[in-house]
Amino acid sequence: MEQNENNQVGALRSDIRIELHTIPAIQIWQGRKKTEDKYQIQSMTKAITHLRVIEIATRLDDPYADLILTEFYQQIDKIKKSLDIESRSIDEVLKSVPTGFKAGDAISIKPVDLNLFINVPSGYQLVFLLCQFDLFVRKVQLAKHISLITGNDASDRQHLIAHALRSLITYTTKYKHLGVTRQDFIENTPMAAKAIEQLGPIPDSILSADKLRDRAPVTNNNAHVGAPE
């Protein structure tokens, strides 16, 4: 049967957005530029850009990219568990109010709305955590506002997760693409020696593993991640 060009379906698109209500979450998304008296804090948008490079490098059999991505997902799981524990804890605090006392969800009167187009699975994992952290901070601030916890307690609870997220972002942005592959290590090429000198040795568990083929494919070279930095 002859195919009518007018019947050819186009590429799928979806309007994906996130809404952030708290300053700590927005600060993690935006990062901070270096100034004379303050050091630079890498943004989540920068980390997502690096994650794209890393995921492409894993498909080119770069063991350093595999190492970074493996550690990334391990840290994602750890932060998720910590966030779940802290969220359950603050939920119990919010339940301790007297019968008849009701407080609605804490929301910003002017939240930051971001339009996302991320084409790497690991990038979405970061964004999911950020949204969960934003909700957690809203609950913590509500508990502080109605005097269920102190200001210091609120700061400590938020800092625990925020520090973990920033550390993961920093770790991700330190990846350097040197063009080395597992074959270079098998053949002990000068490129492998140079890579070890710059980036350190690769664990045997990573070198002996196949490519991390369970990662979803990277698509579309024109990636746009939220607002510009």
Side-chain angles (χ1 to χ4, degrees), residues 45-63:
T45 56
K46 180 70 72 175
I48 293 170
T49 299
H50 277 255
L51 283 167
R52 173 175 170 75
V53 174
I54 292 167
E55 291 207 18
I56 291 174
T58 63
R59 289 162 178 78
L60 299 175
D61 211 19
D62 180 347

Side-chain angles (χ1 to χ4, degrees), residues 54-74 121-122 182 205-218:
I54 292 167
E55 291 207 18
I56 291 174
T58 63
R59 289 162 178 78
L60 299 175
D61 211 19
D62 180 347
Y64 287 102
D66 279 359
L67 177 62
I68 289 279
L69 207 55
T70 298
E71 178 66 19
F72 171 85
Y73 277 102
Q74 290 173 351
S122 51
R182 281 183 174 82
S205 59
I206 295 293
L207 281 178
S208 61
D210 292 332
K211 293 182 188 180
L212 302 183
R213 299 183 186 277
D214 58 326
R215 311 300 187 201
V218 180

Side-chain angles (χ1 to χ4, degrees), residues 22 82-91 94 129-143 149 153-162:
T22 67
S82 295
L83 191 50
D84 286 344
I85 291 170
E86 292 298 322
S87 293
R88 287 196 296 268
S89 174
I90 200 65
D91 284 341
L94 290 170
L129 271 186
L130 182 64
C131 292
Q132 293 169 8
F133 173 67
D134 185 61
L135 176 59
F136 169 69
V137 173
R138 288 160 57 188
K139 292 179 179 180
V140 168
Q141 291 301 313
L142 174 60
I149 60 175
D153 189 8
S155 296
D156 289 343
R157 290 171 185 262
Q158 292 172 189
H159 176 75
L160 177 70
I161 307 299

